[in-house]
């Protein structure tokens, strides 16, 4: 198994990570003041959640497709999508307020390889591209 250096500062400082994560942090903290998306209320808590969301990169091999069932505030899928830019991500979330947040975050972060599906998992019959190797959940 290939060992991946899990230096969180080095990872989030990479050009393809820094700007999207900054945008995510700004929009999440802004929405958290108004909506009950997450218990995170400050940047220190948010940093720890981002670091936890990136932990799977220390053992995951590259993959084609990921589905995050019950995406909530986007952890870990939106954070992992910043790192795995060649993978497709589907965020399955039935609650409208959270769907709105996720869609805004995706646009703000520039994650064209991420799609929100506003539905329950039991209603999903097929997603183009399939679920090859990975299923992420919060």
């Amino acid at each position: 198994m290939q060992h991946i250096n899990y230096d969180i500062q080095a990872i989030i400082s990479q050009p393809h990570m820094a700007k999207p994560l900054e945008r995510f942090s700004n929009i999440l903290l802004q929405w958290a003041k108004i909506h009950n998306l997450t218990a995170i209320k400050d940047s220190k808590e948010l940093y720890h959640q981002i670091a936890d969301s990136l932990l799977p990169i220390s053992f995951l091999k590259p993959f084609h497709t990921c589905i995050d069932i019950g995406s909530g505030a986007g952890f870990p899928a939106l954070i992992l999508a910043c790192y795995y830019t060649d993978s497709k991500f589907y965020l399955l979330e039935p609650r409208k307020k959270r769907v709105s947040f996720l869609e805004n975050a995706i646009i703000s972060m520039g994650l064209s390889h991420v799609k929100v599906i506003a539905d329950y998992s039991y209603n999903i019959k097929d997603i183009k591209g399939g679920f090859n190797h990975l299923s992420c959940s919060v």
Side-chain angles (χ1 to χ4, degrees):
M1 184 167 158
Q2 178 185 354
H3 175 71
I4 297 174
N5 182 12
Y6 188 69
D7 176 352
I8 189 65
Q9 275 307 120
I11 294 167
I12 65 174
S13 297
Q14 296 174 14
H16 70 281
M17 297 286 293
K19 202 56 145 173
L21 290 178
E22 179 184 340
R23 290 177 179 158
F24 174 76
S25 298
N26 290 338
I27 193 170
L28 179 72
L29 291 173
Q30 182 181 36
W31 277 60
K33 292 177 185 176
I34 303 165
H35 306 285
N36 185 25
L37 293 174
T38 178
I40 295 169
K41 300 296 181 209
D42 63 49
S43 56
K44 184 177 179 183
E45 290 177 85
L46 181 55
Y47 178 85
H48 290 296
Q49 188 67 39
I50 289 171
D52 287 349
S53 295
L54 288 170
L55 183 60
I57 69 171
S58 66
F59 58 83
L60 280 179
K61 294 178 181 178
F63 53 88
H64 182 267
T65 306
C66 175
I67 182 166
D68 183 9
I69 299 172
S71 296
F75 298 106
L78 287 180
I79 310 307
L80 290 171
C82 294
Y83 186 83
Y84 293 104
T85 57
D86 292 332
S87 302
K88 292 180 183 177
F89 284 79
Y90 295 96
L91 282 58
L92 188 58
E93 176 56 57
R95 292 166 285 194
K96 291 179 183 181
K97 177 173 48 174
R98 293 180 182 192
V99 167
S100 294
F101 167 76
L102 293 168
E103 289 173 341
N104 278 294
I106 289 165
I107 291 167
S108 177
M109 296 168 75
L111 300 176
S112 61
H113 61 294
V114 180
K115 179 181 178 187
V116 178
I117 300 171
D119 208 339
Y120 292 94
S121 59
Y122 56 78
N123 289 331
I124 304 302
K125 303 293 183 227
D126 183 41
I127 293 178
K128 292 186 188 242
F131 306 110
N132 295 341
H133 298 100
L134 178 66
S135 182
C136 303
S137 66
V138 178

mmCIF file of all heavy atoms in Angstrom, residues 83-124:
data_model
loop_
_atom_site.group_PDB
_atom_site.id
_atom_site.type_symbol
_atom_site.label_atom_id
_atom_site.label_comp_id
_atom_site.label_asym_id
_atom_site.label_seq_id
_atom_site.Cartn_x
_atom_site.Cartn_y
_atom_site.Cartn_z
ATOM 1 N N TYR A 83 -9.671 17.597 -3.258
ATOM 2 C CA TYR A 83 -8.440 16.816 -3.417
ATOM 3 C C TYR A 83 -8.529 15.882 -4.629
ATOM 4 O O TYR A 83 -7.609 15.805 -5.431
ATOM 5 C CB TYR A 83 -8.181 16.005 -2.144
ATOM 6 C CG TYR A 83 -6.858 15.289 -2.148
ATOM 7 C CD1 TYR A 83 -5.691 15.954 -1.785
ATOM 8 C CD2 TYR A 83 -6.761 13.951 -2.505
ATOM 9 C CE1 TYR A 83 -4.465 15.310 -1.788
ATOM 10 C CE2 TYR A 83 -5.545 13.294 -2.507
ATOM 11 C CZ TYR A 83 -4.401 13.982 -2.142
ATOM 12 O OH TYR A 83 -3.188 13.333 -2.154
ATOM 13 N N TYR A 84 -9.648 15.173 -4.742
ATOM 14 C CA TYR A 84 -9.843 14.208 -5.832
ATOM 15 C C TYR A 84 -10.580 14.887 -6.994
ATOM 16 O O TYR A 84 -11.756 14.621 -7.241
ATOM 17 C CB TYR A 84 -10.630 12.994 -5.340
ATOM 18 C CG TYR A 84 -9.887 12.144 -4.344
ATOM 19 C CD1 TYR A 84 -10.188 12.184 -2.993
ATOM 20 C CD2 TYR A 84 -8.876 11.280 -4.761
ATOM 21 C CE1 TYR A 84 -9.509 11.398 -2.073
ATOM 22 C CE2 TYR A 84 -8.186 10.489 -3.850
ATOM 23 C CZ TYR A 84 -8.510 10.557 -2.508
ATOM 24 O OH TYR A 84 -7.835 9.772 -1.602
ATOM 25 N N THR A 85 -9.881 15.728 -7.706
ATOM 26 C CA THR A 85 -10.512 16.525 -8.761
ATOM 27 C C THR A 85 -10.855 15.710 -10.011
ATOM 28 O O THR A 85 -11.636 16.170 -10.837
ATOM 29 C CB THR A 85 -9.612 17.711 -9.153
ATOM 30 O OG1 THR A 85 -8.336 17.215 -9.559
ATOM 31 C CG2 THR A 85 -9.439 18.670 -7.975
ATOM 32 N N ASP A 86 -10.292 14.523 -10.148
ATOM 33 C CA ASP A 86 -10.600 13.676 -11.300
ATOM 34 C C ASP A 86 -11.733 12.690 -11.016
ATOM 35 O O ASP A 86 -12.084 11.889 -11.878
ATOM 36 C CB ASP A 86 -9.353 12.905 -11.748
ATOM 37 C CG ASP A 86 -8.290 13.825 -12.326
ATOM 38 O OD1 ASP A 86 -8.652 14.893 -12.866
ATOM 39 O OD2 ASP A 86 -7.090 13.483 -12.229
ATOM 40 N N SER A 87 -12.279 12.720 -9.824
ATOM 41 C CA SER A 87 -13.369 11.818 -9.433
ATOM 42 C C SER A 87 -14.694 12.558 -9.475
ATOM 43 O O SER A 87 -14.747 13.768 -9.274
ATOM 44 C CB SER A 87 -13.134 11.300 -8.007
ATOM 45 O OG SER A 87 -11.906 10.629 -7.904
ATOM 46 N N LYS A 88 -15.760 11.800 -9.728
ATOM 47 C CA LYS A 88 -17.108 12.370 -9.691
ATOM 48 C C LYS A 88 -17.680 12.160 -8.295
ATOM 49 O O LYS A 88 -17.516 11.099 -7.703
ATOM 50 C CB LYS A 88 -18.008 11.687 -10.718
ATOM 51 C CG LYS A 88 -17.615 11.978 -12.132
ATOM 52 C CD LYS A 88 -18.539 11.290 -13.096
ATOM 53 C CE LYS A 88 -18.053 11.543 -14.521
ATOM 54 N NZ LYS A 88 -18.850 10.847 -15.514
ATOM 55 N N PHE A 89 -18.352 13.193 -7.795
ATOM 56 C CA PHE A 89 -18.968 13.127 -6.471
ATOM 57 C C PHE A 89 -20.454 13.416 -6.603
ATOM 58 O O PHE A 89 -20.851 14.387 -7.260
ATOM 59 C CB PHE A 89 -18.347 14.159 -5.528
ATOM 60 C CG PHE A 89 -16.992 13.786 -5.013
ATOM 61 C CD1 PHE A 89 -15.869 13.962 -5.805
ATOM 62 C CD2 PHE A 89 -16.832 13.260 -3.751
ATOM 63 C CE1 PHE A 89 -14.610 13.621 -5.350
ATOM 64 C CE2 PHE A 89 -15.578 12.915 -3.275
ATOM 65 C CZ PHE A 89 -14.461 13.097 -4.079
ATOM 66 N N TYR A 90 -21.256 12.576 -5.965
ATOM 67 C CA TYR A 90 -22.692 12.787 -5.871
ATOM 68 C C TYR A 90 -23.031 12.962 -4.400
ATOM 69 O O TYR A 90 -22.693 12.110 -3.577
ATOM 70 C CB TYR A 90 -23.467 11.605 -6.450
ATOM 71 C CG TYR A 90 -23.247 11.431 -7.929
ATOM 72 C CD1 TYR A 90 -22.304 10.536 -8.404
ATOM 73 C CD2 TYR A 90 -23.989 12.174 -8.851
ATOM 74 C CE1 TYR A 90 -22.081 10.384 -9.766
ATOM 75 C CE2 TYR A 90 -23.774 12.022 -10.209
ATOM 76 C CZ TYR A 90 -22.828 11.119 -10.657
ATOM 77 O OH TYR A 90 -22.614 10.975 -12.004
ATOM 78 N N LEU A 91 -23.665 14.071 -4.067
ATOM 79 C CA LEU A 91 -24.059 14.365 -2.699
ATOM 80 C C LEU A 91 -25.563 14.183 -2.596
ATOM 81 O O LEU A 91 -26.329 14.920 -3.223
ATOM 82 C CB LEU A 91 -23.665 15.794 -2.303
ATOM 83 C CG LEU A 91 -22.200 16.026 -1.952
ATOM 84 C CD1 LEU A 91 -21.251 15.651 -3.070
ATOM 85 C CD2 LEU A 91 -21.974 17.459 -1.542
ATOM 86 N N LEU A 92 -25.966 13.175 -1.869
ATOM 87 C CA LEU A 92 -27.374 12.824 -1.740
ATOM 88 C C LEU A 92 -27.907 13.413 -0.435
ATOM 89 O O LEU A 92 -27.467 13.033 0.652
ATOM 90 C CB LEU A 92 -27.510 11.302 -1.749
ATOM 91 C CG LEU A 92 -28.890 10.701 -1.804
ATOM 92 C CD1 LEU A 92 -29.635 11.183 -3.038
ATOM 93 C CD2 LEU A 92 -28.783 9.180 -1.834
ATOM 94 N N GLU A 93 -28.808 14.365 -0.568
ATOM 95 C CA GLU A 93 -29.334 15.080 0.603
ATOM 96 C C GLU A 93 -30.794 15.418 0.365
ATOM 97 O O GLU A 93 -31.119 16.114 -0.598
ATOM 98 C CB GLU A 93 -28.528 16.364 0.849
ATOM 99 C CG GLU A 93 -29.023 17.226 1.967
ATOM 100 C CD GLU A 93 -29.124 16.504 3.297
ATOM 101 O OE1 GLU A 93 -28.098 15.957 3.763
ATOM 102 O OE2 GLU A 93 -30.226 16.482 3.874
ATOM 103 N N PRO A 94 -31.706 14.958 1.228
ATOM 104 C CA PRO A 94 -33.124 15.228 1.015
ATOM 105 C C PRO A 94 -33.617 16.570 1.545
ATOM 106 O O PRO A 94 -34.641 17.072 1.089
ATOM 107 C CB PRO A 94 -33.812 14.082 1.758
ATOM 108 C CG PRO A 94 -32.853 13.726 2.851
ATOM 109 C CD PRO A 94 -31.475 13.965 2.278
ATOM 110 N N ARG A 95 -32.911 17.176 2.502
ATOM 111 C CA ARG A 95 -33.403 18.408 3.142
ATOM 112 C C ARG A 95 -33.080 19.636 2.287
ATOM 113 O O ARG A 95 -31.926 19.899 1.970
ATOM 114 C CB ARG A 95 -32.820 18.535 4.541
ATOM 115 C CG ARG A 95 -33.380 17.443 5.471
ATOM 116 C CD ARG A 95 -32.592 17.333 6.717
ATOM 117 N NE ARG A 95 -31.324 16.653 6.362
ATOM 118 C CZ ARG A 95 -30.489 16.147 7.242
ATOM 119 N NH1 ARG A 95 -30.733 16.248 8.518
ATOM 120 N NH2 ARG A 95 -29.384 15.553 6.855
ATOM 121 N N LYS A 96 -34.127 20.395 1.953
ATOM 122 C CA LYS A 96 -34.010 21.515 1.016
ATOM 123 C C LYS A 96 -33.008 22.577 1.454
ATOM 124 O O LYS A 96 -32.254 23.101 0.646
ATOM 125 C CB LYS A 96 -35.376 22.147 0.774
ATOM 126 C CG LYS A 96 -36.315 21.255 0.003
ATOM 127 C CD LYS A 96 -37.670 21.889 -0.210
ATOM 128 C CE LYS A 96 -38.568 20.901 -0.935
ATOM 129 N NZ LYS A 96 -39.882 21.457 -1.195
ATOM 130 N N LYS A 97 -32.997 22.921 2.724
ATOM 131 C CA LYS A 97 -32.075 23.943 3.222
ATOM 132 C C LYS A 97 -30.626 23.500 2.995
ATOM 133 O O LYS A 97 -29.781 24.282 2.563
ATOM 134 C CB LYS A 97 -32.324 24.185 4.708
ATOM 135 C CG LYS A 97 -31.376 25.166 5.351
ATOM 136 C CD LYS A 97 -31.739 25.520 6.788
ATOM 137 C CE LYS A 97 -32.041 24.333 7.644
ATOM 138 N NZ LYS A 97 -32.261 24.658 9.059
ATOM 139 N N ARG A 98 -30.342 22.254 3.257
ATOM 140 C CA ARG A 98 -28.984 21.741 3.073
ATOM 141 C C ARG A 98 -28.640 21.590 1.601
ATOM 142 O O ARG A 98 -27.508 21.814 1.198
ATOM 143 C CB ARG A 98 -28.805 20.447 3.841
ATOM 144 C CG ARG A 98 -28.879 20.731 5.339
ATOM 145 C CD ARG A 98 -28.717 19.535 6.182
ATOM 146 N NE ARG A 98 -28.855 19.941 7.582
ATOM 147 C CZ ARG A 98 -28.556 19.190 8.592
ATOM 148 N NH1 ARG A 98 -28.084 17.980 8.395
ATOM 149 N NH2 ARG A 98 -28.709 19.620 9.817
ATOM 150 N N VAL A 99 -29.609 21.223 0.791
ATOM 151 C CA VAL A 99 -29.392 21.161 -0.663
ATOM 152 C C VAL A 99 -29.012 22.543 -1.176
ATOM 153 O O VAL A 99 -28.060 22.683 -1.955
ATOM 154 C CB VAL A 99 -30.643 20.618 -1.394
ATOM 155 C CG1 VAL A 99 -30.548 20.838 -2.896
ATOM 156 C CG2 VAL A 99 -30.847 19.142 -1.077
ATOM 157 N N SER A 100 -29.714 23.572 -0.734
ATOM 158 C CA SER A 100 -29.395 24.941 -1.149
ATOM 159 C C SER A 100 -27.984 25.324 -0.740
ATOM 160 O O SER A 100 -27.233 25.910 -1.524
ATOM 161 C CB SER A 100 -30.390 25.934 -0.541
ATOM 162 O OG SER A 100 -31.664 25.719 -1.055
ATOM 163 N N PHE A 101 -27.620 24.990 0.493
ATOM 164 C CA PHE A 101 -26.264 25.280 0.954
ATOM 165 C C PHE A 101 -25.239 24.552 0.084
ATOM 166 O O PHE A 101 -24.262 25.158 -0.371
ATOM 167 C CB PHE A 101 -26.064 24.871 2.413
ATOM 168 C CG PHE A 101 -24.608 24.865 2.792
ATOM 169 C CD1 PHE A 101 -23.939 26.058 3.021
ATOM 170 C CD2 PHE A 101 -23.890 23.677 2.846
ATOM 171 C CE1 PHE A 101 -22.577 26.065 3.325
ATOM 172 C CE2 PHE A 101 -22.537 23.671 3.148
ATOM 173 C CZ PHE A 101 -21.879 24.868 3.382
ATOM 174 N N LEU A 102 -25.441 23.258 -0.131
ATOM 175 C CA LEU A 102 -24.482 22.467 -0.911
ATOM 176 C C LEU A 102 -24.339 23.009 -2.325
ATOM 177 O O LEU A 102 -23.223 23.119 -2.843
ATOM 178 C CB LEU A 102 -24.902 20.993 -0.936
ATOM 179 C CG LEU A 102 -24.843 20.267 0.403
ATOM 180 C CD1 LEU A 102 -25.547 18.912 0.306
ATOM 181 C CD2 LEU A 102 -23.397 20.088 0.858
ATOM 182 N N GLU A 103 -25.446 23.349 -2.962
ATOM 183 C CA GLU A 103 -25.386 23.888 -4.321
ATOM 184 C C GLU A 103 -24.630 25.212 -4.355
ATOM 185 O O GLU A 103 -23.832 25.447 -5.261
ATOM 186 C CB GLU A 103 -26.796 24.025 -4.901
ATOM 187 C CG GLU A 103 -27.415 22.676 -5.210
ATOM 188 C CD GLU A 103 -28.865 22.741 -5.639
ATOM 189 O OE1 GLU A 103 -29.547 23.767 -5.371
ATOM 190 O OE2 GLU A 103 -29.338 21.753 -6.233
ATOM 191 N N ASN A 104 -24.870 26.072 -3.383
ATOM 192 C CA ASN A 104 -24.136 27.337 -3.295
ATOM 193 C C ASN A 104 -22.654 27.101 -3.062
ATOM 194 O O ASN A 104 -21.808 27.757 -3.674
ATOM 195 C CB ASN A 104 -24.707 28.219 -2.174
ATOM 196 C CG ASN A 104 -25.917 28.985 -2.614
ATOM 197 O OD1 ASN A 104 -25.818 29.845 -3.466
ATOM 198 N ND2 ASN A 104 -27.057 28.667 -2.040
ATOM 199 N N ALA A 105 -22.334 26.181 -2.173
ATOM 200 C CA ALA A 105 -20.930 25.874 -1.879
ATOM 201 C C ALA A 105 -20.218 25.324 -3.108
ATOM 202 O O ALA A 105 -19.097 25.731 -3.418
ATOM 203 C CB ALA A 105 -20.831 24.893 -0.715
ATOM 204 N N ILE A 106 -20.855 24.432 -3.830
ATOM 205 C CA ILE A 106 -20.261 23.825 -5.026
ATOM 206 C C ILE A 106 -19.943 24.895 -6.071
ATOM 207 O O ILE A 106 -18.859 24.903 -6.652
ATOM 208 C CB ILE A 106 -21.187 22.731 -5.599
ATOM 209 C CG1 ILE A 106 -21.190 21.525 -4.652
ATOM 210 C CG2 ILE A 106 -20.776 22.336 -7.014
ATOM 211 C CD1 ILE A 106 -22.314 20.544 -4.916
ATOM 212 N N ILE A 107 -20.878 25.798 -6.286
ATOM 213 C CA ILE A 107 -20.657 26.882 -7.253
ATOM 214 C C ILE A 107 -19.522 27.776 -6.773
ATOM 215 O O ILE A 107 -18.611 28.102 -7.536
ATOM 216 C CB ILE A 107 -21.957 27.679 -7.483
ATOM 217 C CG1 ILE A 107 -22.976 26.816 -8.224
ATOM 218 C CG2 ILE A 107 -21.672 28.972 -8.244
ATOM 219 C CD1 ILE A 107 -24.385 27.371 -8.224
ATOM 220 N N SER A 108 -19.580 28.169 -5.520
ATOM 221 C CA SER A 108 -18.556 29.050 -4.956
ATOM 222 C C SER A 108 -17.169 28.414 -5.000
ATOM 223 O O SER A 108 -16.178 29.087 -5.248
ATOM 224 C CB SER A 108 -18.922 29.391 -3.511
ATOM 225 O OG SER A 108 -17.919 30.186 -2.922
ATOM 226 N N MET A 109 -17.095 27.106 -4.772
ATOM 227 C CA MET A 109 -15.825 26.396 -4.741
ATOM 228 C C MET A 109 -15.321 26.025 -6.132
ATOM 229 O O MET A 109 -14.190 25.593 -6.281
ATOM 230 C CB MET A 109 -15.962 25.126 -3.888
ATOM 231 C CG MET A 109 -16.275 25.408 -2.429
ATOM 232 S SD MET A 109 -16.765 23.922 -1.508
ATOM 233 C CE MET A 109 -15.173 23.126 -1.308
ATOM 234 N N GLY A 110 -16.177 26.147 -7.151
ATOM 235 C CA GLY A 110 -15.786 25.807 -8.513
ATOM 236 C C GLY A 110 -15.615 24.311 -8.730
ATOM 237 O O GLY A 110 -14.754 23.891 -9.492
ATOM 238 N N LEU A 111 -16.465 23.513 -8.085
ATOM 239 C CA LEU A 111 -16.356 22.052 -8.171
ATOM 240 C C LEU A 111 -17.322 21.499 -9.213
ATOM 241 O O LEU A 111 -18.392 20.993 -8.889
ATOM 242 C CB LEU A 111 -16.622 21.423 -6.793
ATOM 243 C CG LEU A 111 -15.684 21.838 -5.666
ATOM 244 C CD1 LEU A 111 -16.125 21.228 -4.347
ATOM 245 C CD2 LEU A 111 -14.249 21.459 -5.991
ATOM 246 N N SER A 112 -16.936 21.572 -10.466
ATOM 247 C CA SER A 112 -17.813 21.132 -11.557
ATOM 248 C C SER A 112 -18.001 19.615 -11.594
ATOM 249 O O SER A 112 -18.894 19.124 -12.280
ATOM 250 C CB SER A 112 -17.265 21.621 -12.895
ATOM 251 O OG SER A 112 -15.979 21.092 -13.121
ATOM 252 N N HIS A 113 -17.196 18.877 -10.870
ATOM 253 C CA HIS A 113 -17.299 17.414 -10.841
ATOM 254 C C HIS A 113 -18.156 16.913 -9.677
ATOM 255 O O HIS A 113 -18.191 15.711 -9.389
ATOM 256 C CB HIS A 113 -15.903 16.781 -10.787
ATOM 257 C CG HIS A 113 -15.104 17.164 -9.582
ATOM 258 N ND1 HIS A 113 -14.661 18.446 -9.354
ATOM 259 C CD2 HIS A 113 -14.678 16.431 -8.521
ATOM 260 C CE1 HIS A 113 -13.992 18.486 -8.221
ATOM 261 N NE2 HIS A 113 -14.000 17.274 -7.691
ATOM 262 N N VAL A 114 -18.897 17.827 -9.030
ATOM 263 C CA VAL A 114 -19.740 17.481 -7.890
ATOM 264 C C VAL A 114 -21.188 17.849 -8.218
ATOM 265 O O VAL A 114 -21.462 18.928 -8.743
ATOM 266 C CB VAL A 114 -19.292 18.230 -6.612
ATOM 267 C CG1 VAL A 114 -20.185 17.862 -5.429
ATOM 268 C CG2 VAL A 114 -17.831 17.935 -6.301
ATOM 269 N N LYS A 115 -22.105 16.942 -7.896
ATOM 270 C CA LYS A 115 -23.524 17.175 -8.163
ATOM 271 C C LYS A 115 -24.324 16.824 -6.919
ATOM 272 O O LYS A 115 -24.057 15.815 -6.260
ATOM 273 C CB LYS A 115 -23.987 16.300 -9.330
ATOM 274 C CG LYS A 115 -25.452 16.473 -9.661
ATOM 275 C CD LYS A 115 -25.900 15.590 -10.799
ATOM 276 C CE LYS A 115 -27.394 15.790 -11.022
ATOM 277 N NZ LYS A 115 -27.925 14.873 -11.989
ATOM 278 N N VAL A 116 -25.312 17.647 -6.602
ATOM 279 C CA VAL A 116 -26.222 17.375 -5.494
ATOM 280 C C VAL A 116 -27.462 16.694 -6.041
ATOM 281 O O VAL A 116 -28.022 17.119 -7.057
ATOM 282 C CB VAL A 116 -26.626 18.674 -4.767
ATOM 283 C CG1 VAL A 116 -27.611 18.374 -3.639
ATOM 284 C CG2 VAL A 116 -25.408 19.390 -4.232
ATOM 285 N N ILE A 117 -27.902 15.661 -5.356
ATOM 286 C CA ILE A 117 -29.155 14.999 -5.685
ATOM 287 C C ILE A 117 -30.083 15.209 -4.493
ATOM 288 O O ILE A 117 -29.798 14.752 -3.381
ATOM 289 C CB ILE A 117 -28.950 13.491 -5.949
ATOM 290 C CG1 ILE A 117 -27.991 13.304 -7.122
ATOM 291 C CG2 ILE A 117 -30.288 12.808 -6.197
ATOM 292 C CD1 ILE A 117 -27.547 11.886 -7.336
ATOM 293 N N ALA A 118 -31.167 15.940 -4.717
ATOM 294 C CA ALA A 118 -32.105 16.281 -3.651
ATOM 295 C C ALA A 118 -33.154 15.190 -3.517
ATOM 296 O O ALA A 118 -34.262 15.296 -4.043
ATOM 297 C CB ALA A 118 -32.750 17.630 -3.944
ATOM 298 N N ASP A 119 -32.781 14.129 -2.807
ATOM 299 C CA ASP A 119 -33.703 13.002 -2.664
ATOM 300 C C ASP A 119 -33.212 12.081 -1.555
ATOM 301 O O ASP A 119 -32.121 12.264 -1.016
ATOM 302 C CB ASP A 119 -33.793 12.228 -3.980
ATOM 303 C CG ASP A 119 -35.136 11.520 -4.159
ATOM 304 O OD1 ASP A 119 -35.841 11.272 -3.151
ATOM 305 O OD2 ASP A 119 -35.489 11.207 -5.313
ATOM 306 N N TYR A 120 -34.024 11.091 -1.256
ATOM 307 C CA TYR A 120 -33.655 10.051 -0.297
ATOM 308 C C TYR A 120 -32.988 8.896 -1.033
ATOM 309 O O TYR A 120 -33.313 8.631 -2.199
ATOM 310 C CB TYR A 120 -34.900 9.531 0.436
ATOM 311 C CG TYR A 120 -35.510 10.550 1.360
ATOM 312 C CD1 TYR A 120 -36.540 11.374 0.928
ATOM 313 C CD2 TYR A 120 -35.047 10.691 2.662
ATOM 314 C CE1 TYR A 120 -37.106 12.315 1.780
ATOM 315 C CE2 TYR A 120 -35.601 11.632 3.522
ATOM 316 C CZ TYR A 120 -36.629 12.438 3.068
ATOM 317 O OH TYR A 120 -37.168 13.376 3.901
ATOM 318 N N SER A 121 -32.103 8.199 -0.360
ATOM 319 C CA SER A 121 -31.353 7.117 -1.011
ATOM 320 C C SER A 121 -32.262 6.015 -1.535
ATOM 321 O O SER A 121 -31.994 5.444 -2.586
ATOM 322 C CB SER A 121 -30.309 6.534 -0.057
ATOM 323 O OG SER A 121 -30.925 6.024 1.105
ATOM 324 N N TYR A 122 -33.356 5.731 -0.852
ATOM 325 C CA TYR A 122 -34.234 4.655 -1.302
ATOM 326 C C TYR A 122 -34.970 4.993 -2.594
ATOM 327 O O TYR A 122 -35.524 4.115 -3.235
ATOM 328 C CB TYR A 122 -35.215 4.232 -0.205
ATOM 329 C CG TYR A 122 -36.075 5.333 0.367
ATOM 330 C CD1 TYR A 122 -37.195 5.811 -0.308
ATOM 331 C CD2 TYR A 122 -35.782 5.876 1.606
ATOM 332 C CE1 TYR A 122 -37.987 6.812 0.227
ATOM 333 C CE2 TYR A 122 -36.561 6.877 2.157
ATOM 334 C CZ TYR A 122 -37.669 7.334 1.458
ATOM 335 O OH TYR A 122 -38.449 8.327 2.002
ATOM 336 N N ASN A 123 -34.966 6.238 -3.007
ATOM 337 C CA ASN A 123 -35.589 6.638 -4.271
ATOM 338 C C ASN A 123 -34.626 6.595 -5.453
ATOM 339 O O ASN A 123 -35.054 6.745 -6.589
ATOM 340 C CB ASN A 123 -36.161 8.058 -4.167
ATOM 341 C CG ASN A 123 -37.372 8.119 -3.287
ATOM 342 O OD1 ASN A 123 -38.122 7.150 -3.172
ATOM 343 N ND2 ASN A 123 -37.572 9.253 -2.645
ATOM 344 N N ILE A 124 -33.357 6.409 -5.199
ATOM 345 C CA ILE A 124 -32.350 6.453 -6.261
ATOM 346 C C ILE A 124 -32.191 5.064 -6.856
ATOM 347 O O ILE A 124 -31.844 4.110 -6.163
ATOM 348 C CB ILE A 124 -30.993 6.963 -5.722
ATOM 349 C CG1 ILE A 124 -31.171 8.326 -5.054
ATOM 350 C CG2 ILE A 124 -29.950 7.001 -6.819
ATOM 351 C CD1 ILE A 124 -31.739 9.410 -5.934
#
